[in-house]
Amino acid sequence: MTDRIAAAALAAFLLAAPPGWAQTTDSPTTPAPGNPATTPAGTPEAKPGTPAPHRPNTSDQVFAVAAAQGGLAEVAFGKLAEAQGGSDAVRDFGRQMVRDHGKANDRLAGLAKAAGIVLPREMDAEHQAIHDRLKGLKGDDFDRAYIASQIADHQVTAQLLEYEIGSGQDEGLKAFATETLPVVFHHLQMAQGLNTEMAAASTAPPVPKAK
């Protein structure tokens, strides 16, 4: 279920993006100066080829809204993990998600405000559905479902950040995406590690009881 929802979320922001965004640079992590292919005609320039500050294009707007919705979900899911996680490792992971994504959400809110982009204040329907499902789970069942959702969500978030790096125009939002991407990859590696540990524990033979 979480993989389908993650794929749908990614498809949604890609469909909202301008055609050809993936071809605006040779590499998603090496944006072309000014991103002229995605800069609307008539955009004020600080200097030739460089848009004036706080002049977001469509890609910036799509990114900011999607990133805000994902960030709200990460904090909400992390709080559930702190309260309902079946292991210390999962509870610690959730606590880190609350801390790291909370800081990122605050920074994104400031950048969006400066760029004149209105951000959502609530999770989207897909994340709300995951939240509702997780809320009814506890212990090992919660841990498995939560970590699976985290792997899917962080994979989507990494692509979303790369999308902004390659197609965004607002320098503040692009810098945010560039600086946040390694953090998201680290979170993804952590979640994948936890998933591997849980899978190994579930298949390990039982420890014989002492006589």
Side-chain angles (χ1 to χ4, degrees):
M1 175 180 176
T2 54
D3 288 342
R4 291 197 298 272
I5 291 175
L10 178 59
F13 88 75
L14 291 180
L15 288 172
W21 67 263
Q23 287 76 43
T24 56
T25 80
D26 294 331
S27 167
T29 56
T30 309
N35 289 308
T38 58
T39 301
T43 298
E45 296 181 327
K47 59 183 178 181
T50 302
H54 311 312
R55 296 287 177 174
N57 61 5
T58 302
S59 299
D60 293 318
Q61 295 169 8
V62 170
F63 163 73
V65 170
Q69 289 175 330
L72 289 170
E74 286 299 334
V75 171
F77 292 178
K79 289 180 179 178
L80 279 182
E82 289 185 87
Q84 299 176 206
S87 69
D88 289 341
V90 168
R91 289 191 292 271
D92 288 344
F93 178 83
R95 190 173 297 111
Q96 183 168 347
M97 294 307 100
V98 173
R99 181 175 63 250
D100 291 354
H101 285 279
K103 290 179 181 178
N105 292 349
D106 290 343
R107 184 179 173 197
L108 177 61
L111 292 168
K113 183 177 181 180
I117 300 172
V118 178
L119 298 182
R121 296 184 178 182
E122 298 180 351
M123 287 184 284
D124 56 278
E126 290 81 4
H127 280 110
Q128 186 63 56
I130 298 174
H131 184 272
D132 292 344
R133 176 170 175 261
L134 290 174
K135 199 171 181 179
L137 302 175
K138 292 184 180 180
D140 291 344
D141 290 339
F142 175 90
D143 289 355
R144 286 190 292 269
Y146 171 62
I147 293 302
S149 73
Q150 287 297 289
I151 291 172
D153 274 0
H154 280 85
Q155 288 171 336
V156 171
T157 300
Q159 294 181 61
L160 178 61
L161 293 165
E162 289 176 339
Y163 160 66
E164 170 62 15
I165 292 168
S167 295
Q169 175 173 283
D170 184 271
E171 290 301 322
L173 290 170
K174 287 171 60 181
F176 169 80
T178 300
E179 294 164 16
T180 304
L181 184 59
V183 178
V184 169
F185 276 135
H186 178 58
H187 290 171
L188 176 58
Q189 291 172 348
M190 291 174 65
Q192 290 171 329
L194 286 170
N195 189 61
T196 299
E197 291 174 9
M198 289 189 292
S202 67
T203 58
V207 177
K209 294 182 179 180
K211 295 182 179 179

